[in-house]
Amino acid sequence: MRQTLLPDLIVDAHGASSGAGITVERGRLAAVGPATAGERLPGRALAPGFINDHSHAFQRGLRGAVERIEPSQPRDDFWTWRERMYALAGELAPDSMREVSRRCYGEMLSAGYTSVTEFHYVHHRPDGTPYRDPNALAKAVALAAEDTGIRLLLLPVAYARGGLPRFQDLSVQEFLQRVDDLRGWSKGRPLIEVGVAAHSVRAVPRGWLQEIGSYARRDDLPLHIHADEQPREIEECLAEHELRPVELLAEAGFLGTHTTIIHATHASEKELDLLSQHGASVCACPTTEGNLGDGFLPAGGVLERDIRLSIGSDSHVRIDPFEELREIETNARRLSGRRNVLLTEHEISPTPYLLRAGWGRSGPQAGNPADLIEIDLSHPSLADVETSNLPSALVFGAGSGLVAGTWVDGRKAYARGKTDR
Ligand SMILES: [Zn+2]
């Protein structure tokens, strides 16, 4: 079915245009440009949907429960937070995994995310034995995405040591067999893509990193890993390998154009150079990194080296892509004592850079997936905003409350006020 949508404005990273329409056909944008006939969307602007490139959906359940000191842990930090997160992860079963993921993905759609990358590491029964279907929990996540209509990149995550028994596989071969099986199962499911991940250099030894790196390279799969989130992780990696995490990943053959490093908060100049040389990407998760006391992305060094950047809501302390983007620039301002810091060549505003990081593109273009958001132009946060300032008003002066509708694969997946999630 071919359908043309006629909003008041179409937003891209640089501005907004009127008198144009977006034609959707078979899940893709067939045309973007001048149009007069079609379905009018009065009071609405259309923009690309945001990509949430790093999620642990179940962690949304910690909301509000971890914002106080436990008497037994007078010094609270990432590592004590992790104990509380493990307690939650210990309780999950396939049904509850599907339910918690469904709710989280529903919230994402209402906030303007049209696609999510789930970094999935709760695999087995609490005692570590596999479910009858060893991918039962991964499939629960995929079914939750299908329940809500969000696009999912599902990353089964290798975990060899530490954490809970239910995170771990006995061998990398067993792990990769499960990935193969999941890839087979996902065929014919249009919203589901399967990639692969290793949890971190803490949880995965060098031999596994090599195997997983070559598996991903052979089949050109998206490949993710947490790295450089916490100073202690770097100290432990130096003690074990005499290398920093990204240096180890480079030596293990883990880095390539298909690789995304989650966080890179404490990446050294040399590590950033390595990411750039290998064409790897970085995913920043500012609201989570702030909440956990991790620190923040060395965004200037990422931008300077032209390392591709994406955002993730990670632990889901907040689900709001506008806030994630704003935080990246705000942290750069706090650090430098300047304004409008993250400028790419020929730009005078950080907005285009930030929106490209959020959308994975610079605007709606023919050939893109038909993943769009409807912006409510009558929302109070946009009152009196000039059209030419709309992209910056979204990034710097607004939040997800102005998302009135979300389209994924050419279908309406969320309409404000119409769905009960
Ligand atoms: Zn994470």
Side-chain angles (χ1 to χ4, degrees):
M1 183 179 135
R2 194 176 164 93
Q3 180 183 20
T4 297
L5 304 172
L6 298 172
D8 288 358
L9 296 170
I10 294 176
V11 182
D12 64 29
H14 289 94
S17 49
S18 56
I22 293 183
T23 302
V24 172
E25 188 172 22
R26 282 195 221 100
R28 302 204 85 81
L29 304 187
V32 180
T36 49
E39 181 188 343
R40 298 220 163 263
L41 301 175
R44 300 285 189 254
L46 284 178
F50 290 97
I51 297 171
N52 192 343
D53 209 17
H54 190 65
S55 160
H56 311 282
F58 78 88
Q59 292 179 11
R60 186 68 168 147
L62 288 172
R63 222 176 340 165
V66 290
E67 307 303 340
R68 60 179 173 269
I69 295 285
E70 290 294 306
S72 60
Q73 299 278 11
R75 184 190 187 282
D76 193 16
D77 61 13
F78 171 87
W79 307 99
T80 47
W81 170 86
R82 194 178 65 160
E83 295 303 318
R84 318 262 296 267
M85 183 271 283
Y86 283 174
L88 182 65
E91 293 168 5
L92 291 164
D95 282 356
S96 55
M97 178 66 100
R98 182 168 174 175
E99 177 57 20
V100 74
S101 303
R102 193 184 67 75
R103 276 195 236 149
C104 188
Y105 296 161
E107 259 191 276
M108 285 184 202
L109 286 166
S110 71
Y113 288 118
T114 51
S115 169
V116 55
T117 303
E118 182 71 22
F119 196 94
H120 172 76
Y121 57 84
V122 186
H123 301 303
H124 304 301
R125 295 179 201 271
D127 68 358
T129 56
Y131 287 97
R132 187 181 315 221
D133 176 351
N135 280 317
L137 287 173
K139 289 178 186 173
V141 170
L143 293 171
E146 289 184 336
D147 291 343
T148 60
I150 200 167
R151 192 182 297 281
L152 173 71
L153 170 57
L154 178 56
L155 303 177
V157 175
Y159 214 114
R161 56 192 187 186
L164 299 182
R166 68 185 320 187
F167 301 167
Q168 298 173 8
D169 284 283
L170 294 177
S171 70
V172 69
Q173 287 75 24
E174 276 182 43
F175 167 72
L176 291 174
Q177 182 60 55
R178 283 200 302 109
V179 180
D180 273 342
D181 293 345
L182 193 62
R183 290 169 65 196
W185 176 82
S186 72
K187 289 214 166 73
R189 294 177 175 269
L191 293 181
I192 314 293
E193 181 187 355
V194 175
V196 66
H199 183 274
S200 57
V201 299
R202 275 188 275 122
V204 179
R206 184 195 289 242
W208 285 45
L209 294 172
Q210 290 165 335
E211 292 279 339
I212 295 164
S214 70
Y215 176 88
R217 206 165 39 248
R218 188 191 71 203
D219 291 354
D220 200 22
L221 295 180
L223 174 65
H224 289 214
I225 187 167
H226 295 125
D228 287 333
E229 181 177 10
Q230 278 281 328
R232 188 171 118 190
E233 165 208 331
I234 298 169
E235 288 156 23
E236 290 173 359
C237 190
L238 282 165
E240 183 179 0
H241 302 285
E242 296 183 355
L243 295 167
R244 294 173 66 90
V246 173
E247 295 169 350
L248 174 64
L249 296 174
E251 287 209 358
F254 201 89
L255 298 184
T257 52
H258 56 304
T259 309
T260 300
I261 301 296
I262 314 304
H263 302 304
T265 311
H266 300 282
S268 67
E269 298 280 318
K270 184 180 169 199
E271 287 179 292
L272 292 176
D273 287 343
L274 284 169
L275 295 178
S276 169
Q277 285 158 21
H278 287 86
S281 306
V282 165
C283 176
C285 309
T287 61
T288 292
E289 289 152 5
N291 185 265
L292 296 182
D294 289 343
F296 50 85
L297 182 77
V302 169
L303 180 144
E304 254 167 45
R305 291 169 177 80
D306 205 18
I307 296 168
R308 198 182 72 85
L309 179 66
S310 58
I311 54 163
S313 62
D314 193 359
S315 72
H316 311 302
V317 59
R318 292 280 293 124
I319 297 180
D320 184 335
F322 305 95
E323 187 171 345
E324 302 295 346
L325 295 176
R326 180 162 58 243
E327 278 292 293
I328 296 172
E329 166 70 15
T330 301
N331 284 329
R333 293 186 186 190
R334 288 187 175 112
L335 187 65
S336 65
R338 294 187 291 121
R339 302 187 69 254
N340 292 309
V341 179
L342 297 174
L343 305 178
T344 50
E345 225 178 333
H346 311 306
E347 302 285 3
I348 54 171
S349 164
T351 296
Y353 176 67
L354 296 169
L355 285 174
R356 283 195 299 268
W359 292 334
R361 52 183 57 92
S362 56
Q365 285 157 1
N368 291 165
D371 296 358
L372 300 165
I373 59 170
E374 285 178 33
I375 293 161
D376 176 2
L377 292 170
S378 68
H379 193 272
S381 62
L382 297 179
D384 299 328
V385 168
E386 283 180 32
T387 299
S388 60
N389 290 335
L390 184 56
S392 289
L394 294 175
V395 173
F396 289 98
S400 60
L402 50 59
V403 176
T406 309
W407 297 69
V408 180
D409 206 35
R411 280 187 294 271
K412 192 92 168 238
Y414 163 77
R416 191 172 61 191
K418 287 195 184 154
T419 37
D420 176 25
R421 295 196 189 277

